[in-house]
Amino acid sequence: MRLSAKAVLVLVALLLVPVGAWSVTMEELIAGAKKEKELVFIAGANTFGGRKGFADLQKAFNAKYGLDATLKITGGPSMPAMAGRVITELKAGRKSSTDFYLGSQSHIATLHKQNALAKVDWASIFPWITNEMEIVPDESVLVYSSVNGIFYNTNLVPEDKAPKTYEDLVDPKLSATWAGKVAIPPYTSWLVQLSMIWGPEKVKDYTEKLVAISGGRLRYSEDERIVSGEFPIMANLGGAVESMWKWTAKGAPVKGLAGSTPAISSYFQLGVPVNSAHPNLARLMVAFMLTKEGQAVVQKYRYRSSHLISGTLMAKYMKESGVKMQSPEETVKFYMEGGGLELKKEVTKLVRRKKK
């Protein structure tokens, strides 16, 4: 049987559509969401402002789409552990315990490699989402950008003696103010990601020098210990700029700045597990977080936002500061291809080494 030219074109078009990425309209998603009623999100207890933030999000979300849905946030494990749970539930044939997922590049790369995220034509369905916001096309979208960098107490480290780069921290000519007192994080992902700029050998040499002048270890959630003056400076803080905004709003004497050019950047993304129990609500919620209303709530409670959304704190900062960030696509590719696993093992040993 011979097919007409039109039929051939239709068949070719169908074959070119990615599996699982069939387009739906926003109206169809809203109709489906009205039958689901409840959305469950498992993440850190303070994500998006915790329960207070989620109450604001629920009100704005329902108003945006004409829904009456209940949004529930439940405190859960770390992002890597939550990604592992999503994958375990998928392989076991169970519904995902979280309807949508939040993670940075390495976590999203893990889920991508396991085909754990639903294919959604985000930019076609939602007019406010651009292709640039789809960090992993048809899978994840950027909800907020974060600049890693140096964080210090300006009362203890005067501006004229303050470091401008990571290299300055270990420069003997500059480090007298903080030598033996600098706090370093117990995490090493920032050093691994820094290897994309410096190369692995320079990172290992730098880590040894940094550990030699360290005064202790601080987790990213312990930035208050810099504010209090217990430590004068932290070698790297995830979200150094956002923490600066948070604390200076309270009158604290702190500064956060990018330690490298381009700046080490964390791109926090949202995606919907393929086994989400409430897939329509989940898709609508993920898209909502990229609206000005959704961004306003995250900014209000967490000082976080996307540099790709006009008018946000991070968009303004990027424009005014001239800071350049690492390419989100390149960092995701880096993690998908292994993400410096061997280097991570080496620098982790160095960071955990006790000073003699």
Side-chain angles (χ1 to χ4, degrees):
M1 179 179 69
R2 296 183 62 185
L3 297 175
S4 67
K6 182 177 180 180
V8 171
L9 289 174
V10 170
L11 180 60
V12 170
L14 290 174
L15 291 173
L16 290 175
V17 174
V19 175
W22 296 98
S23 293
V24 295
T25 65
M26 192 176 357
E27 290 71 25
E28 289 172 327
L29 289 176
I30 292 171
K34 288 179 178 178
K35 301 174 184 178
E36 293 174 346
K37 300 294 185 182
E38 181 181 274
L39 183 72
V40 178
F41 180 47
I42 299 177
N46 293 320
T47 302
F48 302 154
R51 296 192 182 281
K52 289 184 178 179
F54 243 61
D56 288 357
L57 287 172
Q58 177 176 296
K59 182 178 179 180
F61 173 77
N62 283 329
K64 177 75 173 178
Y65 297 118
L67 298 171
D68 186 26
T70 299
L71 308 184
K72 291 185 177 181
I73 181 170
T74 301
S78 65
M79 289 177 181
M82 195 63 221
R85 183 190 295 185
V86 169
I87 292 168
T88 298
E89 291 168 341
L90 177 62
K91 290 183 176 180
R94 301 197 303 267
K95 289 293 184 182
S96 174
S97 52
T98 186
D99 284 315
F100 62 103
Y101 175 82
L102 170 70
S104 63
Q105 299 99 300
S106 60
H107 318 124
I108 295 295
T110 297
L111 291 172
H112 170 80
K113 288 190 285 188
Q114 294 294 325
N115 298 309
L117 294 176
K119 301 290 186 181
V120 183
D121 197 352
W122 297 107
S124 294
I125 299 170
F126 303 98
W128 58 88
I129 295 180
T130 66
N131 289 325
E132 189 179 11
M133 295 174 187
E134 294 190 41
I135 306 303
V136 179
D138 294 332
E139 290 187 21
S140 66
V141 292
L142 181 68
V143 65
Y144 57 84
S145 328
S146 187
V147 176
N148 279 245
I150 301 166
F151 188 69
Y152 64 90
N153 186 310
T154 56
N155 284 344
L156 301 176
V157 183
E159 187 65 28
D160 62 335
K161 296 182 179 179
K164 301 296 188 295
T165 66
Y166 288 130
E167 291 102 318
D168 287 349
L169 289 173
V170 298
D171 186 339
K173 298 177 182 178
L174 303 171
S175 63
T177 304
W178 55 80
K181 305 173 188 176
V182 61
I184 60 176
Y187 327 109
T188 55
S189 293
W190 70 283
L191 291 164
V192 174
Q193 199 167 324
L194 189 58
S195 72
M196 295 178 65
I197 304 170
W198 288 359
E201 293 306 315
K202 181 176 178 179
V203 166
K204 286 187 284 186
D205 178 66
Y206 174 77
T207 303
E208 287 195 88
K209 292 177 180 177
L210 186 61
V211 169
I213 63 168
S214 70
R217 306 290 183 267
L218 282 188
R219 292 173 294 182
Y220 290 158
S221 60
E222 296 178 314
D223 51 349
E224 187 171 2
R225 295 170 72 181
I226 302 296
V227 177
S228 70
E230 180 182 348
F231 293 90
I233 192 167
M234 190 164 182
N236 187 74
L237 178 64
V241 173
E242 301 99 290
S243 290
M244 174 179 66
W245 293 333
K246 177 185 72 174
W247 286 110
T248 55
K250 299 177 181 180
V254 294
K255 184 170 182 178
L257 71 153
S260 61
T261 302
I264 302 175
S265 307
S266 296
Y267 297 103
F268 291 92
Q269 303 154 63
L270 295 173
V272 179
V274 295
N275 52 336
S276 172
H278 307 101
N280 295 291
L281 276 173
R283 285 162 169 77
L284 290 172
M285 184 63 187
V286 167
F288 174 76
M289 294 306 302
L290 275 65
T291 64
K292 292 187 182 297
E293 302 97 316
Q295 291 284 298
V297 174
V298 183
Q299 283 190 169
K300 175 183 176 181
Y301 290 100
R302 301 290 291 167
Y303 290 90
R304 289 177 163 173
S305 56
S306 168
H307 72 288
L308 297 178
I309 298 176
S310 177
T312 64
L313 281 173
M314 189 56 75
K316 291 176 182 177
Y317 169 78
M318 295 293 293
K319 183 177 181 180
E320 294 170 3
S321 68
V323 168
K324 302 297 181 184
M325 301 170 82
Q326 287 179 305
S327 161
E329 293 79 15
E330 287 182 7
T331 59
V332 169
K333 181 181 178 183
F334 174 74
Y335 285 111
M336 286 184 180
E337 293 177 349
L341 290 178
E342 289 304 314
L343 176 62
K344 186 175 180 68
K345 293 177 183 177
E346 293 183 64
V347 294
T348 297
K349 289 180 182 178
L350 292 173
V351 167
R352 290 177 177 173
R353 180 187 298 170
K354 293 183 179 180
K355 292 192 299 180
K356 296 180 181 180

